[in-house]
């Protein structure tokens, strides 16, 4: 049997006298030794060639005037259902190796913010383990794959935690609470949830609640959010409700228009003990699991190698799919262990604190967070954000990531049920992480200036110190002027000392003039775009008493004379509700004008 395949082109744009090469291949079986012969020949012009395709259910028929005539192609068998279907993905092979998947929600940060992936190290090789310890000692983030730290807690689910946390049956609200109740009457909502608990139930937990359109959770420092203060937030984006864990679980399953998140401390260190103690109101089952199923021996070995301090506290975090914890920094180092579900982290170095991240001031209710919305950054308001670059990381069950101090962590939950444990580490015998000196100094300087001059004047005095213009605002003859001189000198000495030490640790050698310029630039950068009121946080706020008020337009029923001479018709206008000023009388009329209605000079004449 011979199979002849003729490859010809019938494009309409070709010239008629152009010759085209064709190949005829004689398939297997043409010769006794099953060899294949390939011949080539020059085809005739297009005018002498006719190609027709006849589609049938089982074959494709090609008819031509040249060659052997009709040639039937091999019968089509159709695609096999057992073969895998290849499809394009929106991620590179490197992203897929790091754990990215098309099933996860889209990243809730601008794509240009990601520059690379966090270093990922395994525990199967000694060299990889030593590299991870070296990165930790250098205060650089690193992810450890498949660690035994929380491997035995893989059975943790919300239902399991309900049985472990709650030792007595509880009454769980099954109806969703409206958004108006959440925003206008938070106290009533908390009281309603407390009344739903049965007698003898343990203390409630603080639950973060956010509207689903945001699904972002920002913890508000209630001690700093004082009514009438300089940074007062009238309506925080995230509310804090009081619920039991069982109520939280049921609300997380049933609420659709609002997001809910559990973020509370469950273990706390007492004194210098190596292993923190569970909180007293936890159930015995959960306390036993925390002691037995967490690999404290492995954690203590890691503390010794990386020179961490003891564990100060352990917090439990749980949230639904696509829940977001916006970029926030902490003043201490942490270890984040993923128990169930997965997370996507964006880690931004502390070097970008005043070079694109614009952190909230110390006295702001959102202290620790960035003012920039990384999901939709506004470069017109925050121009330096265009240069920010961070490291991305995907956490899966068993993974542990080291979070250096003062690094911004932007966390996004990727599955319906996500449970993780955060281990807050002590200082230990570790040096200050590089690049965090300006942010650490800013916290102390803002508090120092606010103690003397008030929160609203912090930016003014820091700018004066940065431009060396404080002497023009100080009166040395007063006690307050002396205190201001001392304050400015303390601020300047702290900046020069700390920034000089940081430059020396980094191996930089600069003359005295450059050092002075450096600390001045740092102080000015602290004030750029910061230490000002945040009115955009209250732009959508309306007083609850005026939520239902509507504008009413009254018709002007006055005549032309009444509008032109209102004094002549003041009695009629006042009776109708209009305002008409009293006329001044210069001539006294007995029985009509009083002595008080006359001007001062005329009143004296009338009295005389």
């Amino acid at each position: 049997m011979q199979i002849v395949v003729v490859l010809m082109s019938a494009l309409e744009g070709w010239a008629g006298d152009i010759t085209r090469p064709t190949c005829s291949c004689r398939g297997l079986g043409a010769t006794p030794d099953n060899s294949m012969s390939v011949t080539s020949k020059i085809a005739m012009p297009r005018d002498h060639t006719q190609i027709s395709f006849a589609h049938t259910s089982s074959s494709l028929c090609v008819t031509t005037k040249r060659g052997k005539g009709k040639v039937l192609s091999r019968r089509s068998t159709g695609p096999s259902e057992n073969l895998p279907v290849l499809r394009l993905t929106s991620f590179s092979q490197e992203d897929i190796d790091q754990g990215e998947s098309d099933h996860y929600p889209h990243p809730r940060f601008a794509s240009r913010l990601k520059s690379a992936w966090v270093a990922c190290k395994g525990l199967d090789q000694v060299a990889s383990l030593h590299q991870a310890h070296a990165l930790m000692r250098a205060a650089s983030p690193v992810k450890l794959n498949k660690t035994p730290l929380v491997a035995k807690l893989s059975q943790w689910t919300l239902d399991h935690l309900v049985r472990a946390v709650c030792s007595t049956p509880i009454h769980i609200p099954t109806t969703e609470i409206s958004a108006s109740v959440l925003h206008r009457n938070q106290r009533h909502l908390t009281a309603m949830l407390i009344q739903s608990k049965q007698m003898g139930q343990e203390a409630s937990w603080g639950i973060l609640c956010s509207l689903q359109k945001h699904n972002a959770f920002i913890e508000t420092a209630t001690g700093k959010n004082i009514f009438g203060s300089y940074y007062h937030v009238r309506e925080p984006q995230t509310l804090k409700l009081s619920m039991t864990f069982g109520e939280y679980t049921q609300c997380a399953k049933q609420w659709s228009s609002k997001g809910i998140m559990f973020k509370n401390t469950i273990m706390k260190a007492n004194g210098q003990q190596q292993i923190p103690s569970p909180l007293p109101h936890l159930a015995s089952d959960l306390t036993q699991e925390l002691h037995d199923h967490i690999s404290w021996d492995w954690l203590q070995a890691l503390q010794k190698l990386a020179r961490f301090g003891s564990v100060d506290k352990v917090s439990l975090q749980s949230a639904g799919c696509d829940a977001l914890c916006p970029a926030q920094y902490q003043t201490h180092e942490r270890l984040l262990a993923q128990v169930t579900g997965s997370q996507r982290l964006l880690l931004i170095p502390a070097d970008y604190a005043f070079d694109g991240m614009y952190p909230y001031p110390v006295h702001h209710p959102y202290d620790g967070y960035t003012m920039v919305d990384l999901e939709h950054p506004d470069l017109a308001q925050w121009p330096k954000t265009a240069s920010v670059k961070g490291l991305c990381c995907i956490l899966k069950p068993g993974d542990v990531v080291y979070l250096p101090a003062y690094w911004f962590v932007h966390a996004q939950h990727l599955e319906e049920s996500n449970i993780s444990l955060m281990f807050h580490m002590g200082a230990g015998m570790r040096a200050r992480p590089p690049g965090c000196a300006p942010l650490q100094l800013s916290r102390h300087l803002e508090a120092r200036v606010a103690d003397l001059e008030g929160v609203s004047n912090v930016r003014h005095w820091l700018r004066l110190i940065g431009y060396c213009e404080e002497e023009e605002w100080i009166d040395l003859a007063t006690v307050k002027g002396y205190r201001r001189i001392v304050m400015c000198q303390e601020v300047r000495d702290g900046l020069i000392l700390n920034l000089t030490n940081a430059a020396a640790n980094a191996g930089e050698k600069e003359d005295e003039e450059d050092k002075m310029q450096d600390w001045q630039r740092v102080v000015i950068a602290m004030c750029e775009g910061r230490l000002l009121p945040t009115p955009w946080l209250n732009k959508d706020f309306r007083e609850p008493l005026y939520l239902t008020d509507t504008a009413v337009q009254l018709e002007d029923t006055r005549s032309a004379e009444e509008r032109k001479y209102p004094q002549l018709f003041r009695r009629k206008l006042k009776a109708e509700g209009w305002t008409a000023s009293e006329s001044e009388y210069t001539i006294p009329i007995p029985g009509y004008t009083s002595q008080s209605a006359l001007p001062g000079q005329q009143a004296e004449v009338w009295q005389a």
Side-chain angles (χ1 to χ4, degrees), residues 140-155:
S140 180
V142 59
K143 184 179 76 170
L144 303 177
N145 285 334
K146 304 300 181 182
T147 64
L149 182 58
V150 293
K152 296 182 180 180
L153 298 178
S154 58
Q155 78 279 5

Side-chain angles (χ1 to χ4, degrees), residues 70-361:
K70 294 182 178 181
V71 178
L72 296 179
S73 64
R74 181 174 298 176
R75 293 179 179 272
S76 61
T77 57
S80 176
E81 298 181 356
N82 298 328
L83 296 178
V85 180
L86 300 179
R87 63 191 185 103
L88 297 177
T89 62
S90 57
F91 303 103
S92 63
Q93 186 60 39
E94 181 184 5
D95 297 343
I96 296 175
D97 295 339
Q98 293 290 339
E100 281 284 8
S101 174
D102 288 334
H103 302 291
Y104 291 155
H106 190 271
R108 296 189 64 177
F109 56 83
S111 58
R112 55 181 175 76
L113 296 175
K114 171 189 168 184
S115 62
W117 289 93
V118 174
C120 182
K121 304 297 180 181
L123 303 180
D124 52 349
Q125 297 181 0
V126 178
S128 178
L129 189 59
H130 281 289
Q131 293 175 2
H133 294 159
L135 291 174
M136 291 184 185
R137 286 193 293 269
S140 180
V142 59
K143 184 179 76 170
L144 303 177
N145 285 334
K146 304 300 181 182
T147 64
L149 182 58
V150 293
K152 296 182 180 180
L153 298 178
S154 58
Q155 78 279 5
W156 272 16
T157 60
L158 292 181
D159 296 333
H160 175 81
L161 290 178
V162 168
R163 293 189 296 268
V165 173
C166 306
S167 56
T168 59
I170 58 174
H171 172 70
I172 300 174
T174 57
T175 57
E176 185 174 359
I177 302 170
S178 61
S180 59
V181 176
L182 281 174
H183 281 288
R184 301 182 207 171
N185 206 346
Q186 182 181 358
R187 292 183 179 179
H188 171 71
L189 172 60
T190 304
M192 183 176 62
L193 292 173
I194 293 176
Q195 292 176 2
S196 66
K197 304 177 180 65
Q198 293 187 352
M199 299 299 296
Q201 185 64 30
E202 294 292 338
S204 304
W205 300 91
I207 306 299
L208 302 179
C209 180
S210 174
L211 290 178
Q212 190 64 26
K213 64 178 182 180
H214 301 294
N215 204 14
F217 301 91
I218 300 179
E219 293 186 87
T220 305
T222 55
K224 300 178 181 180
N225 195 21
I226 303 173
F227 181 80
S229 61
Y230 191 65
Y231 298 119
H232 178 53
V233 180
R234 305 294 299 272
E235 189 176 83
Q237 180 179 340
T238 304
L239 303 179
K240 198 165 188 178
L241 308 178
S242 178
M243 296 184 185
T244 64
F245 195 84
E247 291 171 340
Y248 158 75
T249 303
Q250 191 69 12
C251 293
K253 294 179 180 179
Q254 295 187 357
W255 286 8
S256 57
S257 62
K258 291 171 288 297
I260 195 168
M261 181 178 185
F262 183 92
K263 189 176 182 181
N264 289 275
T265 300
I266 59 175
M267 303 183 73
K268 197 170 184 179
N270 295 324
Q272 298 295 329
Q273 60 182 1
Q274 294 294 329
I275 300 178
S277 302
L279 296 183
H281 60 269
L282 290 180
S284 58
D285 295 343
L286 182 60
T287 301
Q288 192 67 25
E289 289 183 0
L290 293 174
H291 273 298
D292 299 342
H293 294 174
I294 295 179
S295 181
W296 296 105
D297 295 337
W298 182 87
L299 181 58
Q300 291 176 1
L302 180 65
Q303 291 175 258
K304 184 177 180 180
L305 292 173
R307 301 174 184 174
F308 288 125
S310 58
V311 180
D312 292 337
K313 62 180 181 179
V314 180
S315 58
L316 175 65
Q317 302 179 8
S318 175
C321 184
D322 207 26
L324 177 67
C325 294
Q328 180 189 19
Y329 71 89
Q330 295 285 348
T331 58
H332 55 272
E333 297 170 305
R334 295 165 291 167
L335 292 175
L336 178 59
Q338 191 70 22
V339 180
T340 60
S342 56
Q343 290 190 62
R344 180 188 289 116
L345 305 181
L346 178 66
L347 309 180
I348 299 177
D351 306 74
Y352 292 103
F354 303 116
D355 197 18
M357 290 303 291
Y358 300 93
Y360 281 103

